[in-house]
Amino acid sequence: MKPLGPIPAGFEAVDGELAIGGMTASVLVAQAGRTPLFVYSKDRLERRMAELRAAMPDRLGINYAIKANSFEPLLKVMAGLVDGFDIASGGELAMAQAAGLDPSRISFAGPGKRDIELEAAIAAGVTLNCESRNEVDRALAIGERLGSTPRIALRVNPSFELRGSGMKMGGGAKPFGIDEDLVPEIARRAIDAGAEWKGLHIFTGSQALSAEAIIETQGNVLDLADRLSGEIGAPLPKLNMGGGFGIPYFHGDEPLDIAAIGEALEARFAALPDSLFGAHLCIELGRYLVGESGVYLTRIVDRKVSHGTTYLVTDGGLHHQLAASGNFGTVVRRNYPVAIASRFDARPEEEAYVVGCLCTPLDRLADGAMLPRAQVGDLVAVFCAGAYGASASPSAFLGQGPAAEMLV
Ligand SMILES: *Cc1c(COP(=O)(O)O)cnc(C)c1O
């Protein structure tokens, strides 16, 4: 038997079934007309943001990194909740524009931006978080050609990292950002060439559950920004302090203590150096804002026993849930929170393996899980599906195509 991850708080049974936004799983599937289906809850998005705002200092801006989930109705909800958006490609810029997001609230990071992506971003007035000297020079040249002033911030590759993060994005050699010691000269070059100087972006990692590690990193980020601003010789209009706030996916994971992070930031903000005093300070979060708002529903199409092991074969799988299958940046596969949605209040009584419909042994949704006895036709729920599900899974694999998505 292998434990399942913790189901996020607040999900309840109605008529014995998992309910989201007051509607049962079977009603939601009937509305969508098919499975597999991602359901995102507007109420959960709003509550998550309200709790975060209450915990963080008032002056801290909160941005949404749309790569976590770029479903248009969800982007429209987020537009009313957050202070800005972080994008990482021209495709995401187009999605942000289609959702009606204000380009002046968008910043564009990511290595390997092509000229046409820089052009679209500069023409729209998006801030570029430039990742190299070459990129700054190309942005300046494109700005000149278009007759519009590029808004330039520099993404810093800091010499420290976010301890305990699931994906490290700083510290040592990296394809991301500009090494600390090169930043002052490149910043001067952009400012002297007439760019609109937008400050620094320092992102150090992802999926951290230790408040202590995040507090330490935020302290390092503020110290580094102060030092670099001195070396650049100009105050910072803006400092994007990165993010890294994680959510519990696996057995034993505890929710992040955001109250502790908020208190530590409040103390730092009360004693800011002159270089940062007038800066717009923000963090950028993806999964923390949207991950727990989403549930993936997939239907059991077969139930079989092989050498004494029970398999529940679903019509979904890793083509929509790469991370839950254990194939997106994990070393050891562990179970996400999974339940039988159509028997949500039933007692666990058998050990089963929940798999997808793809013809590969990688397609696993839960291994050796204790679950209520489920039959063909039952619905399985995979929780924490609001981030890096639909947006980060190979939906074209085996000709399956994307899942349905709905926001309730
Ligand atoms: C991926 C990414 C994020 C979002 O990460 P989460 O773990 O979803 O919060 C934020 N900023 C940058 C630069 C990223 O690459």
Side-chain angles (χ1 to χ4, degrees), residues 141-224:
I142 289 169
E144 190 133 22
R145 183 153 49 75
L146 297 180
S148 69
T149 307
R151 298 178 158 169
I152 292 184
L154 297 186
R155 176 165 178 186
V156 182
N157 173 26
S159 57
F160 52 85
E161 63 185 21
L162 172 55
R163 278 189 298 121
S165 62
M167 278 190 203
K168 297 192 188 340
M169 307 277 275
K174 288 284 178 297
F176 312 109
I178 300 170
D179 289 356
E180 259 176 54
D181 50 329
L182 299 175
V183 165
E185 187 226 313
I186 298 174
R188 286 276 13 132
R189 187 186 182 98
I191 295 167
D192 294 345
E196 184 178 337
W197 175 233
K198 298 295 269 186
L200 301 174
H201 172 213
I202 309 179
F203 182 77
T204 53
S206 225
Q207 181 51 22
L209 289 174
S210 157
E212 203 191 315
I214 289 178
I215 290 167
E216 175 192 295
T217 299
Q218 290 180 333
N220 290 338
V221 164
L222 289 167
D223 292 342
L224 175 60

Side-chain angles (χ1 to χ4, degrees), residues 23-159:
M23 281 179 281
T24 61
S26 56
V27 166
L28 291 163
V29 167
Q31 272 193 15
R34 66 184 175 107
T35 49
L37 167 67
F38 285 96
V39 184
Y40 313 116
S41 156
K42 180 166 183 269
D43 180 53
R44 292 187 70 95
L45 294 169
E46 288 169 349
R47 271 188 288 142
R48 172 55 61 115
M49 265 312 283
E51 285 162 16
L52 189 61
R53 291 269 190 214
M56 294 297 138
D58 287 343
R59 76 173 277 181
L60 182 74
I62 298 173
N63 293 356
Y64 173 51
I66 78 172
K67 77 171 190 273
N69 186 330
S70 49
F71 183 50
E72 192 171 306
L74 180 138
L75 289 183
K76 288 183 170 155
V77 171
M78 297 308 286
L81 297 176
V82 300
D83 302 302
F85 295 89
D86 294 296
I87 58 169
S89 73
E92 286 190 348
L93 174 59
M95 291 174 192
Q97 286 175 313
L101 308 181
D102 174 2
S104 71
R105 296 201 291 153
I106 299 176
S107 57
F108 183 1
K113 299 182 190 75
R114 286 163 285 186
D115 282 356
I116 55 164
E117 296 177 296
L118 292 174
E119 276 167 26
I122 292 168
V126 163
T127 293
L128 300 169
N129 293 335
C130 289
E131 308 250 353
S132 71
R133 179 197 305 266
N134 165 298
E135 195 175 289
V136 169
D137 287 346
R138 285 193 295 133
L140 291 169
I142 289 169
E144 190 133 22
R145 183 153 49 75
L146 297 180
S148 69
T149 307
R151 298 178 158 169
I152 292 184
L154 297 186
R155 176 165 178 186
V156 182
N157 173 26
S159 57

